[in-house]
Amino acid sequence: MGDSRVPRDPLLPTHWFNILHDRPQYLTSAVSRSRLAGAVKAAGQGALLQQPLSLARQSINTADRFIPIPDEILDLYAQYRPTPLRRAVRLEEHLGANARIYYKYEGANLTGSHKLNTALAQAYYYSRAGVKHLITGTGAGQWGTALAYACQLMGLRCTIFWVRSTLRQKPIRGEMMRLFGAVVHESPSDLTEVGRRALKEDPEDIGTLAGATGEALALAAEDTESRFAVGSGENSVLLHQTVIGREAVSQMAQLGDFPDCVIACMGAGSNFGGITLPFLGAAKDSSRSVRLVAVESAACPKLTRGRYLYDLSDSLGTTPVTKIYSLGSTYVPPPVYAGGLRHHSAGPLASAMYADGSLEAMAIDQVTSFRAGMLFCETEGILPAPEAAHAVAGMIDVVSRHPRQAAPLVVLVNISGHGLLDLGAYSRFAAGEIEPVTADEDSLSLSLSALEEFNQRIAEPAEAT
Ligand SMILES: Cc1ncc(COP(=O)(O)O)c(C=O)c1O
């Protein structure tokens, strides 16, 4: 255990699980910049390419099945990990389910969600590389809060562009980010060209995560001591999140069970990958199978209604262009309360898993998810974040379809964060003021056409230079 300062629970994993070792086919390559020339107005800074080597290597490592977690990160993990894994007995009784329902709870840390698992790792690697300032875009605000706190711990400055629609829903979360020393901007902002362009087109623009990310990338490109930190989608981020699943595999084994089905909500895939990937490894090792279900927002159904094509993750066009399930980076999802599920695309790894049939997807509307969140609160004593409530709703759907006469279904659901800063949304739900919002069809068809056109253009041979 080295010279750890914080006592460590034996269940705390000392290594992250790297799925790329077992499934190197998931390592999708990015479109080269020469092919992109002319197809996208790229800033050309390659901000993600300026990651420290340690992080960049983690995203492409196919050699090591397990990657050691540095001691400094383990000491910080040990303050809140292992996180609880419990059986949801009262929920089972309420549903009359022919199932054993387990949940893993990632909300029991200061910042309130799984996002801290990668925020600590990234702040550590960047500070070791001499970076002084991390900049990011955040949707639900959970990632921004986690990064703000991690930066404070590692002595880094932190700037956050927060999607306008969500920032206005829960200003108190902004107070939390500021408490940890971060500078918080509403996105679109007039600080960057991307933001100014969006505001010029529509001064009332509600913002998107692609836009906030684009603003963060633009600001990060302005000085050499700043870098952009990414909250989800990247392989290295999913890797850091595998502490969730590695713990859960051991905790389920202690309880003498193994899940038939693991369920998590899908933003760009980090909590989904975090809980599911180690179960793929464990299933392989024990010649079992495990069903994986990703639950997305009906307002932003990138898996169930998107295309598997090359697309941008940000509206600036600086991040690598990879093959992903996407609704197109210009799609503006309606302003649902699960801001963390409003990303237009799934990350490359989750997309590759959906493409080869390793995961199933379902889209849930926000009324159904708030109802499930309230039920989980009443029966299990935990109020899930609106994103996590989608996972609960998906799990209830899976369990309710399981035949009565079959053997009980063993399901595990990840409660990726708490909803204690989302009380306003829950109150509006309780007052019957929330609508079951689905995708914006006009924005969707325009955006999908633009995505297809973009793919035709990058398929054409690049001009000789
Ligand atoms: C609590 C919570 N769960 C899930 C998500 C979805 O993101 P990801 O797919 O990266 O887990 C978010 C994103 O902000 C979140 O805050």
Side-chain angles (χ1 to χ4, degrees):
M1 287 284 170
D3 56 352
S4 65
R5 289 181 293 141
V6 182
R8 289 182 196 158
D9 189 296
L11 276 177
L12 178 68
T14 54
H15 292 68
W16 290 303
F17 174 74
N18 178 24
I19 189 70
L20 295 177
H21 171 272
D22 289 10
R23 301 192 180 187
Q25 68 273 25
Y26 288 165
L27 187 60
T28 49
S29 53
V31 180
S32 73
R33 301 210 78 77
S34 62
R35 265 205 185 280
L36 278 181
V40 59
K41 225 193 275 171
Q45 301 294 335
L48 275 180
L49 304 178
Q50 295 175 11
Q51 280 182 330
L53 265 183
S54 44
L55 275 175
R57 283 203 188 108
Q58 287 178 356
S59 281
I60 55 168
N61 181 337
T62 53
D64 304 302
R65 198 173 196 225
F66 296 101
I67 295 182
I69 305 174
D71 259 342
E72 290 86 332
I73 303 175
L74 273 178
D75 271 347
L76 292 166
Y77 280 173
Q79 292 185 326
Y80 66 98
R81 309 205 67 89
T83 61
L85 182 142
R86 303 257 156 75
R87 186 158 164 197
V89 177
R90 294 188 67 225
L91 179 62
E92 285 171 18
E93 283 166 9
H94 178 94
L95 295 173
N98 179 23
R100 293 197 292 283
I101 301 171
Y102 295 91
Y103 66 88
K104 178 85 170 149
Y105 182 49
E106 286 296 308
N109 66 64
L110 174 62
T111 68
S113 80
H114 68 296
K115 298 284 180 182
L116 192 56
N117 300 326
T118 185
L120 292 172
Q122 291 189 49
Y124 166 81
Y125 287 119
Y126 277 108
S127 71
R128 294 266 301 211
V131 169
K132 305 282 183 235
H133 178 200
L134 287 181
I135 307 175
T136 199
T138 190
Q142 298 264 22
W143 163 240
T145 315
L147 190 69
Y149 177 56
C151 282
Q152 187 181 54
L153 291 178
M154 299 288 170
L156 298 172
R157 286 188 293 128
C158 182
T159 300
I160 294 160
F161 287 90
W162 191 3
V163 175
R164 181 186 266 179
S165 60
T166 324
L167 182 149
R168 293 192 177 176
Q169 281 164 7
K170 38 185 172 181
I172 194 86
R173 195 170 262 296
E175 293 310 313
M176 211 169 163
M177 295 176 202
R178 290 188 191 96
L179 200 64
F180 302 142
V183 175
V184 184
H185 301 292
E186 186 174 273
S187 175
S189 77
D190 58 9
L191 289 172
T192 67
E193 186 49 39
V194 196
R196 285 190 290 271
R197 214 189 308 142
L199 287 174
K200 197 170 161 206
E201 271 170 35
D202 176 9
E204 300 307 314
D205 191 321
I206 58 171
T208 62
L209 193 49
T213 304
E215 292 210 81
L217 284 159
L219 194 64
E222 281 179 15
D223 87 274
T224 52
E225 294 195 327
S226 301
R227 290 289 185 281
F228 167 73
V230 62
S232 187
E234 276 289 294
N235 293 354
S236 57
V237 178
L238 271 62
L239 176 82
H240 303 153
Q241 294 294 356
T242 59
V243 283
I244 307 173
R246 292 212 66 208
E247 280 174 14
V249 168
S250 308
Q251 288 166 315
M252 292 289 294
Q254 279 188 343
L255 295 167
D257 236 340
F258 190 85
D260 298 307
C261 181
V262 184
I263 304 174
C265 65
M266 169 73 66
S270 77
N271 93 95
F272 178 82
I275 190 149
T276 61
L277 297 175
F279 278 99
L280 281 183
K284 181 176 183 224
D285 293 344
S286 55
S287 306
R288 278 185 276 215
S289 64
V290 60
R291 181 179 161 205
L292 310 179
V293 180
V295 188
E296 56 186 10
S297 160
C300 194
K302 57 228 154 196
L303 293 175
T304 52
R305 296 192 59 192
R307 308 268 190 283
Y308 192 37
L309 290 171
Y310 287 94
D311 197 13
L312 311 166
S313 300
D314 67 284
S315 58
L316 185 65
T318 309
T319 46
V321 173
T322 43
K323 199 168 180 189
I324 44 183
Y325 270 93
S326 178
L327 300 169
S329 61
T330 54
Y331 173 62
V332 183
V336 287
Y337 283 97
L341 306 186
R342 276 184 84 236
H343 197 240
H344 65 279
S345 59
L349 210 161
S351 295
M353 288 173 73
Y354 189 51
D356 79 1
S358 294
L359 70 87
E360 297 164 36
M362 69 169 83
I364 297 267
D365 74 78
Q366 61 174 358
V367 169
T368 308
S369 72
F370 275 120
R371 194 177 303 123
M374 279 305 298
L375 178 62
F376 198 78
C377 181
E378 284 157 24
T379 53
E380 298 303 321
I382 287 174
L383 187 70
E387 293 79 8
H390 283 70
V392 177
M395 179 271 289
I396 292 174
D397 186 81
V398 167
V399 163
S400 67
R401 289 170 197 277
H402 186 63
R404 294 247 125 251
Q405 59 285 7
L409 190 72
V410 182
V411 291
L412 170 65
V413 60
N414 195 32
I415 307 298
S416 47
H418 71 66
L420 295 175
L421 297 184
D422 301 275
L423 289 178
Y426 273 100
S427 305
R428 289 201 62 207
F429 165 74
E433 291 169 10
I434 289 185
E435 300 289 322
V437 180
T438 53
D440 180 314
E441 295 298 334
D442 291 343
S443 175
L444 185 59
S445 64
L446 277 175
S447 180
L448 286 174
S449 309
L451 175 62
E452 276 159 15
E453 196 192 310
F454 172 66
N455 274 262
Q456 277 160 15
R457 284 160 72 191
I458 57 173
E460 288 159 12
E463 275 176 39
T465 47

